[in-house]
Amino acid sequence: MAANPETSAALSLLNAGAVRDRAHRMLAIGLEDRLPNFRIDLDRMDDVVELVMETTRAAYPSFDVPFHSRWRHFVTNGDDRWAAVADRADWSDRAARARAEFDLAIVSVFLDAGAGPSWRYRDPGTGSAIGRSEGLGLASLAMFTNGAFSVAPHEPMRADAEKLANLNVVDLARGMQVSNDNPLVGLDGRADLLRRLGRLAAAKPDVFGSHDTPRPGGLYDRLAMLAGGGKLPALMILTELLQQLGPIWPSRLTLGGVALGDCWRHPAMTTADATSGLVPLHKLSQWLAYSLIEPLQRSGIDVTDIDGLTGLAEYRNGGLFVDTGVLTFRDAADAGRKHEVSSPLVVEWRALTVALLDRVAEGVRRRLGADATSMPLAKILEGGTWAAGRRLARERRADASPPIKVISDGTVF
């Protein structure tokens, strides 16, 4: 029996190549001045590259930049919280540590959609009040190391499907220090996402439970199995994440019975098949793919083609291009309005962000005399574009918010 053509079309969107291809098509349409929401001024890109170089040099003077990943947020004031715990733990082998690191990375990234401007995590270690991604990272790390996601009191550093599937929003609020005075955007959405993750992992023991009871970290064993000759393309990490975890994303588009995840409609993206009008972005999944590279490397697997992944379509990278004037609103009043994640304006902005990040990477490499192997996009994001976007937001707005107001449910940004 022939495969459903809609199913085949849907699967064609669940990879980084589709994200990059459609993002660059969006940019090409914009450069012809045919987009409904933004104009593009590439003359300002040299200033963006210079700002990214300057920001990177300030943080990493030798340009020895780590990957943009969740692991950076577990380091505060030079103190690597995870390494301090993990290096002392009695792991049975490298795979056991990798499963725990997959558990931690997956749960932590799924809790990482934007926190909003007012939420803070008060770090028990330093007493500091830390907001946004860094605060979410430290809060989720503390929950993980304290056994909040484990069913085994003697083995706290794991996330069991059974525990996640029954996660109470009150318990999550406690771990995240949420209160009336310390509100966290999208708390219910985050708790629901983790419950969906737990139910999915429990329902797929062949994927998530081949060497243990079902847990997100069981995905490590599947990827290790797919690593031919000890090598694993980064693109395969993302494809597995999108195909195995796709069903957990709430209230999103489906095509041919396949959940499309972080994929949205835009009127300019016309094609001749069933994917017409669809723009895949897969921000959290790519952020997670970047975050799984280091555990795989530590376990002895060589991750290749890291630059096959794309830039991340989120508000720091996207804000960089709005705040520098590369992107300007056609309707200036849009700067003051709130926009749904699914709105053509936000979809357009996010897709343009992915394409423009590739151009920034080319400019940075030219100035450094580097190539994509020595300076992959994962390092330019970290050095880099994300930090520069945040820096401009702090300089221009008292609450350091992005230049576009996005209504978030806690599962996208």
Side-chain angles (χ1 to χ4, degrees):
M1 187 175 70
N4 180 340
E6 286 200 349
T7 301
S8 300
L11 293 175
S12 76
L13 297 176
L14 299 186
N15 60 79
V19 175
R20 180 165 271 125
D21 175 64
R22 298 210 174 190
H24 281 277
R25 287 179 59 190
M26 189 78 78
L27 178 60
I29 294 166
L31 292 175
E32 294 174 352
D33 201 31
R34 293 193 293 119
L35 286 176
N37 300 289
F38 288 98
R39 292 189 176 91
I40 303 166
D41 182 0
L42 288 185
D43 289 342
R44 294 180 179 264
M45 284 292 282
D46 282 346
D47 293 339
V48 175
V49 172
E50 183 55 43
L51 177 65
V52 170
M53 291 283 291
E54 177 191 321
T55 304
T56 305
R57 189 179 290 112
Y60 305 100
S62 66
F63 280 86
D64 183 15
V65 186
F67 295 144
H68 187 58
S69 78
R70 193 53 161 163
W71 304 102
R72 306 290 81 78
H73 295 151
F74 300 146
V75 180
T76 180
N77 299 324
D79 174 23
D80 189 332
R81 301 283 178 86
W82 170 247
V85 174
D87 291 348
R88 290 197 312 268
D90 183 22
W91 306 108
S92 58
D93 56 19
R94 289 196 294 184
R97 175 169 176 164
R99 284 182 207 108
E101 291 182 334
F102 267 50
D103 277 340
L104 171 57
I106 293 169
V107 168
S108 187
V109 165
F110 282 0
L111 289 172
D112 191 38
S118 54
W119 178 84
R120 297 290 184 274
Y121 174 69
R122 188 160 293 281
D123 178 22
T126 63
S128 301
I130 305 167
R132 302 200 180 269
S133 278
E134 289 86 346
L136 291 168
L138 290 177
S140 59
L141 175 61
M143 291 184 73
F144 181 78
T145 55
N146 290 330
F149 309 113
S150 170
V151 296
H154 63 284
E155 196 180 345
M157 289 192 292
R158 56 183 292 135
D160 288 286
E162 178 187 343
K163 187 67 172 279
L164 292 172
N166 294 289
L167 186 72
N168 190 312
V169 71
V170 174
D171 293 333
L172 183 60
R174 185 182 306 114
M176 292 287 172
Q177 301 179 352
V178 176
S179 67
N180 290 337
D181 297 327
N182 193 33
L184 177 65
V185 170
L187 180 67
D188 289 332
R190 292 169 212 262
D192 185 54
L193 198 59
L194 290 188
R195 286 193 292 267
R196 288 167 177 261
L197 171 64
R199 291 196 294 270
L200 181 85
K204 291 185 173 183
D206 56 320
V207 176
F208 295 100
S210 63
H211 285 69
D212 198 348
T213 51
R215 54 192 286 201
L219 189 63
Y220 166 78
D221 297 297
R222 179 173 176 84
L223 291 176
M225 179 188 70
L226 294 171
K231 295 181 182 296
L232 184 74
L235 296 175
M236 192 173 286
I237 303 173
L238 178 64
T239 297
E240 282 295 307
L241 288 172
L242 291 172
Q243 294 194 12
Q244 301 301 343
L245 298 180
I248 73 169
W249 301 106
S251 61
R252 302 280 170 78
L253 301 175
T254 60
L255 179 63
V258 176
L260 297 180
D262 185 7
C263 181
W264 311 89
R265 295 195 182 281
H266 191 282
M269 194 56 58
T270 55
T271 67
D273 67 0
T275 68
S276 189
L278 297 178
V279 181
L281 295 160
H282 305 315
K283 179 258 170 174
L284 271 180
S285 296
Q286 293 209 77
W287 172 231
L288 180 52
Y290 281 125
S291 299
L292 297 182
I293 292 172
E294 287 158 86
L296 286 161
Q297 290 174 329
R298 273 192 287 272
S299 78
I301 293 171
D302 179 16
V303 180
T304 60
D305 191 23
I306 292 169
D307 220 48
L309 298 173
T310 79
L312 301 179
E314 50 78 59
Y315 61 81
R316 291 306 182 204
N317 288 317
L320 172 66
F321 299 113
V322 176
D323 278 337
T324 53
V326 174
L327 298 179
T328 54
F329 295 105
R330 283 194 182 278
D331 179 356
D334 278 329
R337 298 183 179 121
K338 291 185 176 181
H339 304 275
E340 295 284 352
V341 171
S342 59
S343 67
L345 182 143
V346 171
V347 176
E348 190 174 309
W349 173 46
R350 296 179 70 204
L352 291 171
T353 295
V354 170
L356 291 169
L357 286 169
D358 279 345
R359 294 210 172 200
V360 172
E362 290 167 7
V364 168
R365 289 173 191 141
R366 268 199 308 272
R367 295 199 187 192
L368 291 175
D371 60 16
T373 302
S374 60
M375 187 57 72
L377 188 56
K379 294 187 175 186
I380 293 168
L381 294 171
E382 177 62 25
T385 57
W386 190 88
R390 170 178 275 189
R391 172 181 162 187
L392 290 180
R394 284 175 169 160
E395 290 173 358
R396 292 168 186 237
R397 289 170 292 279
D399 63 355
S401 61
I404 297 178
K405 298 177 176 66
V406 179
I407 301 167
S408 175
D409 66 355
T411 66
V412 177
F413 281 105

